[in-house]
Amino acid sequence: MRTALKTRLKPRLHPALLLVVAAMVAVGLGLAATAAAAAPLPPARHAVEDGDTLAELAERYGSTVPAIVAANGLADPDAIVAGETLVIPAASTPVVPMEVRPGDTLDTIARRRGTTAETLRLLNGMGPEDRLMAGQDLLVVAGPAEPSPALPPGPVRRLETTPASVPQGNTVLVDLQVRQPVSISVSLGDQVVPLRPWSQGHLTGEGDGERLWGLVAVPALAEPGLQWLDVTWQIGEERGQLRWPIPVVDAGFPTFDIELPPGKGDLLDPELVRAEAAKMAAIWFSPETAVAWKGRYRRPIAEEFPTSAPFGQRRSYNGGPVNSFHAGQDYSAPEGTAVVAPAAGTVVLAEPLVVRGNAV
């Protein structure tokens, strides 16, 4: 006999996101180096129309007002003119104009900026025959040691999210560099993201006391498009806030229709589902504890045992509407097969649950 083994990890993020971090944190962290090395996409260019504002354009294109101001060298952000073309970079890849000096070539500028001539061509929409002229402005990516031009004045010097675009139900690594002392909060909707110094974390790299990191669980049912992180801070009497875009793409989750056997229809009772969710939420939202895990999460069961129902699978019950998803990850294996913890932690619940079944 083969038994479906349900493994459910409980990150303290949001009641609707059971296995998001457990399944994807290793992927998110593993992509950091790759994302940093990838060539940036050319910024969008927008012909200003009557009624356009920088705030509206930033919201539309996944940018920020400071990023647009910096890329275009605007002296007055409120004085854009219909008909002019604005460069609108992604918030994650802010660009600034740099004046070309006599004798400069794309190769010499690329060496100075630590990039490639091809990247400079992409950023500036240049063809292979285009040549530089002394005095012209060339768009370059802001240097890593400089405060990000995509951020407003304040204690946040840099903000990066990895990966650059995230499939539904995946995890985003937030990396902040701040001035100290500062009180800072990051949230996605009603999900508050715990932040920790890199020096107290278990990520690769050394913390300098001013870098903070956190993990954001993007809902599995999030609409593809832009989701927005809300960042607020206070330093002394000074307060501020900013919104940071996270591009979400379709994860391609499959859809499955489940026919419940006779006598099991009560598992869909909204009151029963709500009561069990409230029980779990009381555990997820308990006070923060120290990070126990290190490195990548591991599979909780041997590779030879297949996944029988993947996380994120869209579900219809008894032919009803598809308005829910599988919040766990099921594996099929013989009874008695060992299931291990994907990472170090503390057991906070081990009991049969009415909807979820036997749960640890």
Side-chain angles (χ1 to χ4, degrees), residues 104-358:
D104 272 344
T105 66
L106 286 177
D107 287 325
T108 59
I109 295 173
R111 283 196 293 272
R112 285 206 307 269
R113 303 294 305 186
T115 184
T116 66
E118 184 55 33
T119 294
L120 293 177
R121 288 189 186 279
L122 283 172
L123 289 177
N124 291 273
M126 298 174 62
E129 304 302 320
D130 291 336
R131 296 290 179 264
L132 298 181
M133 296 181 59
Q136 79 175 84
D137 282 337
L138 188 74
L139 293 176
V140 296
V141 176
E146 306 163 7
S148 172
L151 298 172
V156 183
R157 290 176 50 83
R158 297 196 71 80
L159 193 165
E160 296 179 3
T161 55
T162 305
S165 60
V166 57
Q168 300 158 309
N170 280 228
T171 301
V172 176
L173 170 65
V174 178
D175 184 357
L176 285 163
Q177 184 179 13
V178 299
R179 290 194 287 119
Q180 292 181 314
V182 60
S183 173
I184 191 164
S185 170
V186 176
S187 60
L188 179 69
D190 60 356
Q191 175 193 162
V192 178
V193 182
L195 297 175
R196 295 181 171 86
W198 276 60
S199 56
Q200 296 178 15
H202 295 279
L203 308 183
T204 56
E206 297 182 1
D208 57 10
E210 295 183 341
R211 286 183 71 189
L212 305 172
W213 64 272
L215 298 173
V216 181
V218 173
L221 295 177
E223 287 293 329
L226 294 174
Q227 300 280 316
W228 292 87
L229 285 181
D230 291 303
V231 182
T232 60
W233 71 80
Q234 181 169 354
I235 182 167
E237 295 299 315
E238 177 190 0
R239 297 184 182 185
Q241 61 183 16
L242 65 95
R243 303 189 76 214
W244 193 263
I246 295 179
V248 176
V249 296
D250 193 308
F253 290 127
T255 298
F256 190 67
D257 183 57
I258 297 177
E259 293 293 331
L260 292 176
K264 293 296 184 181
D266 59 344
L267 294 179
L268 300 180
D269 182 352
E271 205 51 53
L272 188 64
V273 173
R274 272 195 297 270
E276 188 167 297
K279 178 185 180 75
M280 306 309 294
I283 297 173
W284 297 327
F285 291 124
S286 61
E288 280 299 311
T289 56
V291 176
W293 52 268
K294 295 183 179 181
R296 294 178 178 273
Y297 281 35
R298 58 186 170 178
R299 203 172 192 265
I301 193 168
E303 293 285 350
E304 64 190 275
F305 303 116
T307 295
S308 55
F311 166 80
Q313 179 187 72
R314 274 48 173 149
R315 288 186 163 178
S316 162
Y317 293 93
N318 295 339
V322 180
N323 55 13
S324 66
F325 69 97
H326 187 211
Q329 177 88 357
D330 294 0
Y331 301 96
S332 181
E335 192 171 349
T337 301
V339 180
V340 301
T346 301
V347 174
V348 293
L349 177 141
E351 64 182 73
L353 298 174
V354 177
V355 178
R356 292 166 173 80
N358 295 334

